[in-house]
Amino acid sequence: QVRFVESGGGVVQAGGSRRLSCAASGITFSSIHMAWYRQAPGKEREFVARINSSGSTNFADSVKGRFTIDRDNVRNEVYLEMNSLKAEDTATYYCNRAPLPSPYWGQGTQVTVSS
């Protein structure tokens, strides 16, 4: 069964950094594209960053230049490095496949940016 377990969230001051991790299982990880998504209170879940099986990446305009994404195909993990955090980055962050997420969302990890 497909499973994603996100971790690394917490409270961070505006301008600070945070690194999120996601462990994937039940999928052929190295051959699929992965992405991070986020959902802020009262808003729809949105795309944040993607890393293809080749290692190429793309980002939402709102995080471009501040966030990076990478993956470890041995550990079946994907990471999101977040820098220069802003209050508007406050959300629950999820990982999943890209471009079409699987229906098996994890519990997410909450990131709260305090100003």
Side-chain angles (χ1 to χ4, degrees):
Q1 183 177 347
V2 177
R3 187 169 182 231
F4 302 108
V5 180
E6 300 90 352
S7 62
V11 179
V12 60
Q13 286 194 329
S17 299
R18 201 79 181 182
R19 182 173 172 85
L20 306 182
S21 299
C22 166
S25 59
I27 54 175
T28 308
F29 184 81
S30 61
S31 64
I32 66 169
H33 310 320
M34 289 292 298
W36 283 93
Y37 306 84
R38 68 185 181 187
Q39 187 167 21
K43 295 188 177 181
E44 303 229 337
R45 187 149 39 201
E46 64 176 1
F47 165 80
V48 175
R50 167 176 166 167
I51 183 165
N52 291 332
S53 57
S54 65
S56 61
T57 60
N58 66 289
F59 299 89
D61 287 344
S62 58
V63 306
K64 203 170 290 183
R66 300 188 297 120
F67 290 13
T68 59
I69 184 172
D70 60 19
R71 63 190 296 161
D72 184 330
N73 289 335
V74 174
R75 298 172 64 92
N76 285 6
E77 294 184 351
V78 60
Y79 310 99
L80 185 69
E81 182 75 34
M82 306 183 295
N83 300 306
S84 302
L85 282 162
K86 305 175 181 179
E88 51 263 44
D89 296 318
T90 294
T92 301
Y93 286 73
Y94 303 86
C95 69
N96 207 318
R97 296 180 320 200
L100 294 177
S102 83
Y104 304 104
W105 292 93
Q107 83 288 350
T109 188
Q110 174 69 37
V111 174
T112 302
V113 183
S114 63
S115 54

